[in-house]
Amino acid sequence: MRVALFVTCLADGLFPEVGRATVAVLERLGHEVVFPKSQTCCGQMHTNTGYGRKAVPLVRHHVETFEEYDAIVAPSGSCVGAVRHQHAMLARKAGDHDLANRAERVATHTFELSEFLVDVLGVEDVGAHYPHRVTYHPTCHSLRMLRVEDKPLRLLRAVRGLDLVELPDADQCCGFGGTFAVKNSDTSTAMLADKMKNVMATKAEAVTAGDSSCLMHIGGGLSRLRVGTRAVHLAEILASTETSGVMR
């Protein structure tokens, strides 16, 4: 299958290893991965901050960039959630019904990594090896918007050498929420403190999730505490093998 990588702003600007890991997993499974170079921000940040009309040009650009592909995969439940639940709505509110229809078609072919692997490819064991104690944080958008449910856990359980431990109060938000962490920093910090306490209670070497944004928030907090627990994206764990070494 020919798959287009929707890499997201965070992976492109701050965590390129997550994009490379996504490509590694898909290519290992025998699929061709292409990277549309014209891709930019999907407009989620604008929409969530109340600038929906200003996001419409970004929606149009996203549709024009990806509408030729039959499968679009992103290592982010948040950005995929925006494509599925915001793009057509924004176009329709702006009165552009043609764009709304095109956005809906793109949305039906856009997948978060774990749901693409499990639901579309029918794969749970991707041949990964990661000999560490790991706990999983289900991010809000993947949990509540995309409803990926236990797909990331099924993928993690198939990773050789991985010791998966349950995270207490896993369904509680980590407090990032994009600009929420800036505009409501005190509340965000309190939520992060609760999440870090639960992560540390697992004695995990690594906390993983399907969104770099949440991992940036949690990982930043843990690094300041110097507890030694790493924040590792799900794609990086799935890309790790005995021969390639552990990806971080």
Side-chain angles (χ1 to χ4, degrees):
M1 185 184 298
R2 189 165 179 255
V3 180
L5 174 65
F6 168 28
V7 76
T8 79
C9 295
L10 272 179
D12 185 51
L14 295 174
F15 304 105
E17 63 276 8
V18 173
R20 289 194 292 266
T22 303
V23 173
V25 172
L26 295 173
E27 288 186 340
R28 185 194 305 152
L29 295 173
H31 302 283
E32 177 190 0
V33 182
V34 295
F35 180 77
K37 293 183 179 179
S38 62
Q39 63 182 283
T40 59
C41 176
C42 67
Q44 178 190 182
M45 180 176 68
H46 305 68
T47 308
N48 292 351
T49 314
Y51 296 95
R53 187 166 289 277
K54 292 184 180 295
V56 173
L58 292 168
V59 172
R60 181 175 294 107
H61 183 75
H62 185 89
V63 168
E64 291 171 349
T65 300
F66 285 102
E67 63 185 341
E68 69 176 277
Y69 300 100
D70 292 328
I72 304 140
V73 176
S76 168
S78 177
C79 295
V80 171
V83 170
R84 287 201 198 154
H85 296 277
Q86 294 179 347
H87 280 193
M89 174 196 68
L90 290 168
R92 209 161 267 120
K93 286 181 70 173
D96 193 334
H97 296 287
D98 176 66
L99 177 61
N101 292 334
R102 291 163 64 197
E104 285 178 343
R105 287 194 292 271
V106 170
T108 62
H109 301 304
T110 304
F111 305 93
E112 181 268 340
L113 178 62
S114 73
E115 63 178 358
F116 182 71
L117 293 171
V118 176
D119 289 345
V120 179
L121 300 184
V123 173
E124 294 185 14
D125 186 346
V126 299
H129 177 263
Y130 194 82
H132 298 285
R133 185 178 176 91
V134 176
T135 193
Y136 168 70
H137 165 64
T139 64
C140 289
H141 286 91
S142 65
L143 185 68
R144 297 175 175 87
M145 292 181 75
L146 299 183
R147 301 190 183 280
V148 301
E149 299 174 338
D150 68 340
K151 297 177 185 67
L153 292 171
R154 287 155 66 181
L155 291 162
L156 289 168
R157 290 183 188 118
V159 174
R160 291 159 185 78
L162 189 146
D163 177 17
L164 182 63
V165 290
E166 184 176 354
L167 179 65
D169 294 328
D171 63 346
Q172 298 303 299
C173 178
C174 71
F176 180 64
T179 54
F180 172 85
V182 178
K183 292 184 175 183
N184 303 276
S185 58
D186 289 346
T187 303
S188 173
T189 300
M191 295 170 74
L192 174 61
D194 288 342
K195 181 61 64 173
M196 291 192 298
K197 179 187 70 175
N198 289 329
V199 169
M200 290 186 290
T202 68
K203 296 182 170 29
E205 297 172 76
V207 55
T208 192
D211 279 89
S212 293
S213 53
C214 299
L215 289 171
M216 177 175 66
H217 191 54
I218 299 169
L222 291 171
S223 68
R224 289 189 289 274
L225 294 179
R226 300 181 184 275
V227 295
T229 305
R230 303 188 305 275
V232 185
H233 194 284
L234 174 67
E236 296 178 88
I237 291 177
L238 298 180
S240 296
T241 64
E242 289 185 82
T243 56
S244 68
V246 174
M247 298 187 68
R248 301 189 181 192

